[in-house]
Amino acid sequence: MQKAKLAILASGRGSNAVALIQASKSADFPAEVALVLSDNRDAPVLKKAEELGVKALYLDPGPKRSYLIPEVEASWIQALQENDVDYVLLAGFMRLLKRTFLEAFPLRVLNIHPALLPSFRGLDAQQQAWEYGVRYSGATVHFVDSSLDAGPIILQEPVKVLPDDTPQSLADRILEAEHRIYPEAVRLLCQGRLRIEGRRVKILREWNSKEAHGK
Ligand code: GAR
C-alpha cells in the first residue's frame, strides 16, 4: 500500500504536529508526514519536526498578519506540490487560507479547533468557553472551507469543564483530546472513509481505495 503524503502547517508550539508525526510512524497508518511548513521563523514546531526526522521549512508569510495574499499562497502551494503533498493539515496555523490555496487542495485541507464547533470560533476558544460557563467544551477536526472554523465536521471529542478549572487547565485537557482525534480523523481521510454529504460527513465502515488519496 502506498502511503498518502501529508503536510502540516503550524505557527507555534507544535504539539499536534508531534502527535500526527508520531501516529504516522506506526506501520499501519495510511499516511506519512512529508513536510512541516511554518509562517513563523522561530516556531518550536520546526525544531520538533526536524528532531523527528521530518523536513521542516519556514516560508515567508508576506505582508498581511492574518492571511496569505494570493502571490504568497502561490509560493506555499508550489512548496507543497514540489513535495507531492496529498493532504494539508492545519495544526495551530494562525492564518486564514483563501481561495487560491483551497482550490489547489479541494477537500484536502483539515483543521483542528480547541472547542466544540460551531461554538467558540476564532482565537482563544478555550478561554471563550470557560468565560461563557459551558459545562462541556472539547475539540473538533473539520474540513477547511473559506469561512472561519466552519467547514464540515469530521470528529469531535467533548471535554467536561470541572468546577476548579482555569482556562489553562481546561485547555490542557482539550489538547489531550486534540491529540487523540486529529490522527484518527487523518487515518479515516487517508483510508478514503470520509464522504461529504452537504454539511454532514459520513464515516464509511470499509477502506475505500477509490476515495483514498488519488491526485
Ligand atoms: C491547538 O490547541 C489548536 O487547536 C489551536 O492552536 C493550538 C496549537 O497548539 N488552533 C486554533 O486555535 C485554530 N483556530 P499546538 O501548536 O501545540 O498544536
Side-chain angles (χ1 to χ4, degrees):
M1 180 201 64
Q2 209 203 335
K3 291 193 172 207
K5 286 198 175 184
L6 310 172
I8 299 173
L9 271 51
S11 302
R13 175 179 58 182
S15 73
N16 276 288
V18 167
L20 288 161
I21 293 168
Q22 282 171 342
S24 73
K25 288 182 184 287
S26 113
D28 69 346
F29 198 80
E32 60 182 316
V33 181
L35 182 65
V36 170
L37 293 181
S38 184
D39 56 341
N40 171 8
R41 201 188 293 276
D42 303 320
V45 68
L46 291 173
K47 191 157 174 272
K48 289 181 185 172
E50 271 175 3
E51 282 169 1
L52 289 166
V54 174
K55 182 171 168 184
L57 300 173
Y58 159 76
L59 285 189
D60 187 347
K64 300 290 178 187
R65 267 178 64 114
S66 60
Y67 66 97
L68 308 173
I69 60 171
E71 295 82 345
V72 175
E73 281 201 337
S75 66
W76 283 59
I77 293 165
Q78 192 184 347
L80 295 167
Q81 288 174 341
E82 280 170 3
N83 286 275
D84 284 329
V85 165
D86 297 300
Y87 298 106
V88 178
L89 311 175
L90 309 185
F93 186 66
M94 294 310 186
R95 285 170 201 269
L96 274 179
L97 294 173
K98 301 271 197 185
R99 215 179 58 206
T100 316
F101 194 99
L102 296 175
E103 283 177 359
F105 293 94
L107 298 177
R108 286 166 181 273
V109 184
L110 264 53
N111 182 42
I112 180 96
H113 185 73
L116 293 178
L117 291 172
S119 294
F120 311 121
R121 292 176 182 169
L123 294 177
D124 298 323
Q126 307 96 324
Q127 172 106 23
Q128 290 183 53
W130 183 83
E131 282 175 1
Y132 196 91
V134 292
R135 297 294 185 195
Y136 287 87
S137 190
T140 303
V141 182
H142 63 96
F143 285 103
V144 174
D145 64 16
S146 54
S147 40
L148 176 67
D149 297 331
I153 289 169
I154 301 169
L155 291 179
Q156 294 188 299
E157 183 175 320
V159 172
K160 193 170 169 47
V161 182
L162 302 176
D164 295 338
D165 261 336
T166 61
Q168 186 58 52
S169 64
L170 176 60
D172 290 345
R173 287 202 313 290
I174 291 174
L175 195 63
E176 291 172 16
E178 294 180 41
H179 296 167
R180 283 189 288 273
I181 64 171
Y182 211 175
E184 184 53 24
V186 173
R187 175 193 296 274
L188 294 170
L189 176 75
C190 295
Q191 289 177 335
R193 290 172 60 194
L194 300 179
R195 182 172 298 155
I196 303 178
E197 297 177 351
R199 273 217 54 88
R200 303 172 63 82
V201 178
K202 194 167 175 183
I203 299 177
L204 308 175
R205 240 182 274 155
E206 301 287 333
W207 170 291
N208 184 338
S209 61
K210 264 198 229 124
E211 295 190 34
H213 68 92
K215 300 251 184 210

